[in-house]
Amino acid sequence: MTAKNNGAQMALSWAAALWYLMAALGQMAFLLFILLFYYPSALSGNFAAWDKKPNIEGFTAGDTAGNMMFALHVLAAAVMTAGGMLQLLPALRQKWPKVHRWNGRLFIVTALSLAFGGLWLVWGRGSYLNLTGAIGISLNALLIISFAFMAWQTATKKKFADHRLWAMRLFIVANAVWFMRLGYMIWGVGTGGIGIGDAMDGPYDYFLAFGNSLVPLAIMETYLRVKAGKSDRARYLMAAGLFLCALLTVGGSGAAWMVMWGPYI
């Protein structure tokens, strides 16, 4: 590998690491919100406190099964968020492989519980604002289920290179809810909320219903192909793109904390 190749690969690696760091900070903020807003009320049985948060049908009087399912849903979300951040750390895999394996199993189980629970909340309980949003949630759940199966299967067959790819894909789609919050904050700050409807029924809402899974997934797939390719120009361009994504991630997370999360805890 030439010095030029080394420079391009290094730029790409540093940009990817920067994005991970900014994503970890953003997810820590999201995790803190879940722990401080949902956990006390869910564990104490004060489900009605969920209604302080707009646009989310958490508590429904008389719907014991639905309320319990939602409580389990948000409790599992915290476990999955914390586990996902740890699972992507190379040091965990290299120095503590047993912890990596058990954390990975826990991540897959919680991701699957969120996927199936989300499907039930949407189609069983009717917790959605519009049909397009419900279809978007369902697509995300199906992607989680499919990628979890592939990550598990490749691990059991000891195809570890393939397993890492499917685990990364699973991480992306399993965090679609977080990406959606970032998407709304970035778009809202940048455009003043053009295309966002009162009932999440505007053009941007419909785009984000699918884009919260597919856009981050497309960026990751592009990154993987550029990293494995031979073009230094593509690597530098991808590095610049990831640097921009890192800035948007930390900016969107900060805005989400100030608007969506912080005021409710």
Side-chain angles (χ1 to χ4, degrees):
M1 183 177 290
T2 66
K4 185 179 179 181
N5 293 137
N6 277 325
Q9 286 284 20
M10 186 175 295
L12 186 58
S13 296
W14 277 104
L18 178 64
W19 178 82
Y20 172 79
L21 177 60
M22 296 301 101
L25 290 174
Q27 291 216 314
M28 286 174 63
F30 188 40
L31 175 61
L32 184 62
F33 163 71
I34 296 172
L35 292 175
L36 295 180
F37 180 77
Y38 285 113
Y39 262 61
S41 55
L43 294 176
S44 66
N46 183 23
F47 300 154
W50 299 336
D51 288 343
K52 289 169 56 181
K53 194 80 169 60
N55 296 328
I56 295 179
E57 185 179 350
F59 172 74
T60 300
D63 184 13
T64 302
N67 293 334
M68 290 300 297
M69 179 63 76
F70 188 84
L72 292 174
H73 195 72
V74 295
L75 296 180
V79 176
M80 188 203 73
T81 301
M85 289 188 293
L86 291 174
Q87 199 65 6
L88 290 186
L89 288 173
L92 184 70
R93 182 176 68 251
Q94 296 163 3
K95 296 183 179 180
W96 299 285
K98 288 186 178 180
V99 176
H100 175 79
R101 286 194 293 271
W102 280 104
N103 186 61
R105 291 167 184 153
L106 180 61
F107 180 79
I108 287 177
V109 169
T110 52
L112 286 174
S113 71
L114 288 167
F116 286 112
L119 288 172
W120 184 87
L121 287 169
V122 168
W123 301 111
R125 195 187 198 197
S127 298
Y128 61 89
L129 293 175
N130 55 69
L131 183 59
T132 301
I135 295 172
I137 293 171
S138 301
L139 171 64
N140 175 249
L142 294 176
L143 289 173
I144 290 173
I145 294 167
S146 301
F147 293 172
F149 172 77
M150 292 303 300
W152 185 278
Q153 185 182 58
T154 50
T156 56
K157 292 182 177 180
K158 299 187 185 303
K159 297 180 179 179
F160 296 122
D162 292 336
H163 165 71
R164 284 193 288 272
L165 296 178
W166 286 110
M168 289 170 65
R169 293 175 179 123
L170 175 59
F171 173 84
I172 291 295
V173 298
N175 283 287
V177 169
W178 177 69
F179 282 118
M180 175 172 277
R181 270 64 177 173
L182 298 191
Y184 272 117
M185 290 296 96
I186 293 166
W187 185 259
V189 172
T191 71
I194 295 174
I196 298 176
D198 293 336
M200 293 186 177
D201 54 356
Y204 184 72
D205 300 299
Y206 293 154
F207 162 76
L208 199 59
F210 302 95
N212 63 348
S213 297
L214 299 180
V215 171
L217 188 60
I219 293 172
M220 193 202 75
E221 294 292 345
T222 303
Y223 161 75
L224 292 173
R225 281 156 179 74
V226 169
K227 183 180 179 182
K230 298 180 180 180
S231 172
D232 286 335
R233 181 180 181 185
R235 291 190 183 103
Y236 280 121
L237 288 173
M238 189 73 226
L242 287 177
F243 181 76
L244 176 61
C245 287
L247 293 179
L248 292 174
T249 297
V250 72
S253 297
W257 179 263
M258 290 187 288
V259 176
M260 291 183 169
W261 305 330
Y264 298 97
I265 58 178

